[in-house]
Amino acid sequence: AGKTTLMDVISGKVKIDAGRVVFGGTTDLTRMNEDAIVKRGIGRKFQTPSVFASLTCFENVQVAGGFRDGVRRLFGSITRERRERVQWALERVGLAERALTEASALSHGERQWLEIAMLLVQDPSLLLLDEPVAGMTHSERERTGELLHALEGQHSLIVTEHDMDFVR
């Protein structure tokens, strides 16, 4: 009980009445808004994938990668470095071949991976993953487990999951 609520508090979605959440030894996240928490290096994946269905996979990751940019830069041309970073994130989650596919055409599991790519492009130090394999097929769960293991050592992960076979 309270797993999602804890992630809501850490990510700034829910404000608490008392106490604090310390990140990096000194930063009290309860005093920050959601945007500042993301910029501090915390990425959140929700139970239900939050992707832009009418955008391609590449465009979804590109938008997520521009979270620090102003509105003018968001609609401007993409730099070579940003294009490479977006492509890297899509490759990391196994969606490079689907880069030009609209998110609406993806399977549920692929949408989950796209959302993870949208986090990875931001280079967070901490990933909060709320039920990342909910609704996935067995093969999608296996692939997600491999992906999360591949992230070990590069990011800290907090995963909540009801699928005990996956957790094992």
Side-chain angles (χ1 to χ4, degrees):
K3 298 176 295 296
T4 297
T5 302
L6 175 62
M7 289 191 175
D8 287 345
V9 170
I10 294 170
S11 64
K13 185 174 170 139
V14 169
K15 295 298 179 189
I16 56 176
D17 294 328
R20 59 193 187 126
V21 177
V22 178
F23 179 70
T26 58
T27 304
D28 182 0
L29 300 177
T30 61
R31 300 183 183 272
M32 303 170 72
N33 63 32
E34 290 177 76
D35 292 350
I37 291 171
V38 170
K39 290 176 182 173
R40 183 70 174 90
I42 297 176
R44 166 88 184 271
K45 195 206 129 344
F46 294 87
Q47 290 176 2
T48 303
S50 301
V51 300
F52 302 103
S54 64
L55 297 181
T56 66
C57 292
F58 188 92
E59 291 166 336
N60 267 279
V61 178
Q62 179 183 350
V63 168
F67 76 100
R68 287 189 175 104
D69 298 341
V71 173
R72 286 189 358 220
R73 178 103 188 260
L74 180 62
F75 295 106
S77 60
I78 184 171
T79 64
R80 187 176 114 267
E81 293 83 12
R82 171 74 55 81
R83 184 181 325 280
E84 289 172 357
R85 182 77 178 159
V86 169
Q87 192 63 34
W88 169 86
L90 288 169
E91 288 171 5
R92 195 85 169 107
V93 300
L95 291 176
E97 297 80 31
R98 310 278 323 247
L100 301 179
T101 302
E102 277 191 9
S104 62
L106 299 176
S107 71
H108 175 71
E110 289 171 324
R111 286 184 190 198
Q112 297 278 36
W113 300 329
L114 177 58
E115 190 173 27
I116 293 172
M118 293 168 70
L119 294 177
L120 292 177
V121 75
Q122 298 173 15
D123 196 29
S125 54
L126 173 63
L127 290 169
L128 304 172
L129 305 168
D130 198 357
E131 297 190 43
V133 298
M136 287 187 178
T137 66
H138 179 73
S139 63
E140 288 173 333
R141 287 193 317 266
E142 290 289 321
R143 189 167 160 194
T144 301
E146 292 168 4
L147 169 61
L148 297 183
H149 278 290
L151 297 176
E152 289 177 24
Q154 300 161 29
H155 308 272
S156 295
L157 305 173
I158 296 178
V159 179
T160 63
E161 184 55 61
H162 293 154
D163 183 335
M164 289 298 105
D165 288 334
F166 173 78
V167 171
R168 279 189 274 291

